[in-house]
Amino acid sequence: MGLVPPELSLDFRPNFVPKTITNFLREVSLIGNVSDKVSKLDAFVKGLEEEMKKIDAFKRELPLCMLLLNDAILVLKEESTQCMARNVEPVLEEFIPLKNKEEDNHSEEDGSLITTKKEEDCNNDCNNNKDKKNWMSSVQLWNIDGDYCSSDHKLDTKRNDEDPCKSRGGGRGFMPFKANLGFAARKEEKQEIPVHGLTLSTPGIKNLKEESSSTGSRNSCSRAVPFSATNARSSFQSAPPVGLSNHLQQHQQQQTGRKQRRCWSPELHRRFVNALQQLGGSQVATPKQIRDLMQVDGLTNDEVKSHLQKYRLHTRRLPATTTTTTPANQSGLVLGGGHAWMCQDQFGESSKGSSSQSGSPQGPLQLATNTGGTSTTWCESMEDDEDAKSECYSWKSHVQKPSKNNWKSHVQKPSKNNV
DNA sequence: GCACGAATAT
DNA sequence: CATATTCGTG
């Protein structure tokens, strides 16, 4: 857009007249009868105005068309006016083209632009599917949202299988909403191998640190994806696609030193949340219990612990934004910073005891989209309850104990961890 | 020695 | 940021 050629520049408005107009004026100039001239001019203007209306809807996408039409209309009107005024008719010369119509096609380099086009062409273009299409595609503002929503929805409703890790190029654990914001899309949509996310899909490889350092990517999943270019390096142990036994995983882990990043797919998370509910909430549930309930093969305590930690973290710090904790939110799913947490656990009430939900998919999840990018809007509902319990928590949060280090030195437990 | 939560590293 | 690891404790 910023490339408007001189001819189209607003600065030239008074001088720039498309050839078509020029030719038209030339014709008109040949007419002796002034009234005829005027009527002809008016007719043309009218036609242009009509065209203008037609493309009005596309003005955003066809600014140049609008501009040209507008220019033409102005010029013709002026001409018409002058004509009537002088009753005679000299003028037209000023509109005489410097180039010939024939030049149209090739002349200027920018020629590609509308400069060479006639109004009609322009109009045609305007009505042209192609343009419309472009226009439409460029509108994406809502598209994005829609996309996001839909995909999201998809996940929620059918989340049976695969899941984001695989379906999305760079998918990450939960629903990677943010990712696709418009541009990003282009990235390698690696559709590589079907790494079944679900279950624990631990994607297998451990390209961990090495590759992580190279790309710095933080997409857990993508990282895990076996054959991605970035991972090429770690190919030496191409990942066993799916179910990779713990055994194997461990083995690999040993080799690489670092554990493979677990991709917490929505499904996985769902189970996690489910387990939480059954256990009475994130504040009381312990990693081990959770893991047991989740019944996910290969899932480790540490992983659950880690996830739980984050979960708590997120659920607990409710935006001081007060309010918004409408009861309605209770079963909501919340999103923050791109991740969606399903805080369904409002076990506060019912849920807890009922084992009913264990296997079955949880009820309808609702999304509380918070695209704001701003941080959180965690639905904590239940967490409120928990906050009550958070007593114990509070002391934790009061980390402030600086003495810690000192103690540490004193205590100096040499044991296990050091290894 | 295990399980946790918190802190820190990646 | 999300996840993994480490640390300090009970």
Side-chain angles (χ1 to χ4, degrees):
Chain A
M1 280 288 154
L3 302 178
V4 183
E7 299 97 324
L8 298 178
S9 164
L10 290 178
D11 297 328
F12 286 71
R13 178 162 303 203
N15 300 318
F16 171 68
V17 181
K19 295 184 180 65
T20 306
I21 299 298
T22 301
N23 291 330
F24 171 71
L25 290 176
R26 191 183 285 150
E27 281 179 40
V28 173
S29 71
L30 297 178
I31 300 175
N33 184 322
V34 174
S35 63
D36 277 354
K37 254 184 205 177
V38 174
S39 65
K40 195 155 187 175
L41 283 170
D42 288 345
F44 200 109
V45 169
K46 196 172 181 181
L48 292 179
E49 287 177 336
E50 301 251 337
E51 293 292 344
M52 189 95 141
K53 287 179 189 171
K54 291 179 189 172
I55 70 167
D56 188 67
F58 304 100
K59 58 187 173 189
R60 281 181 58 185
E61 190 62 16
L62 302 170
L64 295 181
C65 271
M66 293 299 285
L67 183 62
L68 290 173
L69 275 177
N70 209 35
D71 269 351
I73 292 173
L74 286 177
V75 169
L76 291 179
K77 277 185 175 175
E78 189 180 339
E79 178 59 22
S80 176
T81 304
Q82 288 184 7
C83 245
M84 296 206 284
R86 306 175 208 165
N87 212 353
V88 200
E89 59 64 48
V91 198
L92 304 188
E93 303 131 13
E94 73 179 75
F95 298 114
I96 289 177
L98 297 177
K99 315 172 221 173
N100 236 337
K101 184 172 186 176
E102 309 321 306
E103 294 175 58
D104 279 4
N105 301 328
H106 308 291
S107 48
E108 51 259 328
E109 0 173 356
D110 281 340
S112 57
L113 275 185
I114 317 188
T115 313
T116 63
K117 295 201 168 191
K118 321 174 174 190
E119 270 46 53
E120 287 86 354
D121 286 336
C122 178
N123 291 327
N124 286 337
D125 281 340
C126 296
N127 294 327
N128 195 334
N129 290 333
K130 180 176 148 197
D131 280 319
K132 284 183 183 174
K133 217 160 150 193
N134 289 334
W135 178 69
M136 293 303 276
S137 63
S138 70
V139 179
Q140 62 180 179
L141 290 178
W142 42 264
N143 250 351
I144 294 171
D145 264 352
D147 225 23
Y148 146 135
C149 284
S150 65
S151 61
D152 201 18
H153 181 51
K154 213 193 283 172
L155 284 175
D156 281 346
T157 38
K158 69 176 293 181
R159 62 174 84 223
N160 347 346
D161 32 49
E162 331 296 338
D163 89 11
C165 291
K166 163 185 154 191
S167 54
R168 301 224 174 204
R172 25 169 135 2
F174 314 107
M175 326 185 155
F177 301 114
K178 67 181 179 186
N180 295 335
L181 286 189
F183 340 101
R186 60 167 195 176
K187 269 268 174 171
E188 29 189 350
E189 299 258 337
K190 28 184 157 187
Q191 316 187 337
E192 11 226 312
I193 311 177
V195 174
H196 294 319
L198 187 50
T199 53
L200 292 177
S201 78
T202 34
I205 328 200
K206 4 220 60 207
N207 344 335
L208 336 90
K209 65 170 79 163
E210 301 125 291
E211 140 258 1
S212 74
S213 61
S214 63
T215 27
S217 96
R218 38 226 157 77
N219 290 331
S220 53
C221 291
S222 68
R223 209 187 270 179
V225 181
F227 309 137
S228 72
T230 46
N231 297 333
R233 192 171 181 198
S234 50
S235 61
F236 61 93
Q237 26 183 330
S238 61
V242 192
L244 184 52
S245 70
N246 299 331
H247 212 53
L248 184 47
Q249 288 184 33
Q250 290 181 344
H251 185 257
Q252 291 188 334
Q253 188 181 328
Q254 289 185 324
Q255 291 191 323
T256 22
R258 199 161 247 266
K259 218 185 133 195
Q260 191 203 330
R261 216 183 173 79
R262 157 138 272 117
C263 172
W264 282 83
S265 66
E267 166 62 15
L268 209 53
H269 182 68
R270 191 175 64 80
R271 292 201 186 198
F272 171 82
V273 174
N274 234 332
L276 276 187
Q277 287 185 318
Q278 295 178 55
L279 294 172
S282 65
Q283 297 304 324
V284 293
T286 67
K288 197 175 184 181
Q289 295 176 311
I290 296 173
R291 192 195 60 173
D292 289 343
L293 279 176
M294 285 176 75
Q295 295 194 308
V296 176
D297 180 46
L299 188 60
T300 71
N301 274 357
D302 281 350
E303 291 167 336
V304 174
K305 188 168 63 167
S306 187
H307 197 63
L308 178 61
Q309 180 173 28
K310 197 178 62 165
Y311 183 87
R312 286 171 171 166
L313 228 164
H314 284 159
T315 48
R316 99 175 6 205
R317 65 159 170 226
L318 260 213
T321 43
T322 73
T323 73
T324 57
T325 355
T326 34
N329 291 334
Q330 290 205 324
S331 62
L333 172 162
V334 187
L335 286 181
H339 257 177
W341 289 81
M342 304 166 223
C343 318
Q344 272 197 316
D345 2 14
Q346 11 106 264
F347 46 78
E349 35 245 72
S350 60
S351 63
K352 186 169 182 180
S354 67
S355 57
S356 59
Q357 47 184 345
S358 61
S360 60
Q362 307 204 325
L365 296 179
Q366 19 175 314
L367 273 189
T369 55
N370 168 17
T371 31
T374 66
S375 38
T376 56
T377 308
W378 306 100
C379 87
E380 45 187 287
S381 50
M382 64 171 209
E383 297 305 322
D384 283 340
D385 286 326
E386 310 237 287
D387 274 358
K389 311 172 185 177
S390 62
E391 297 266 294
C392 52
Y393 179 76
S394 61
W395 71 260
K396 293 190 222 166
S397 58
H398 291 316
V399 183
Q400 59 165 199
K401 22 177 98 178
S403 54
K404 185 176 179 180
N405 287 331
N406 293 333
W407 287 39
K408 181 178 178 180
S409 60
H410 285 310
V411 182
Q412 64 155 200
K413 330 185 135 185
S415 61
K416 63 179 179 183
N417 286 333
N418 291 332
V419 183

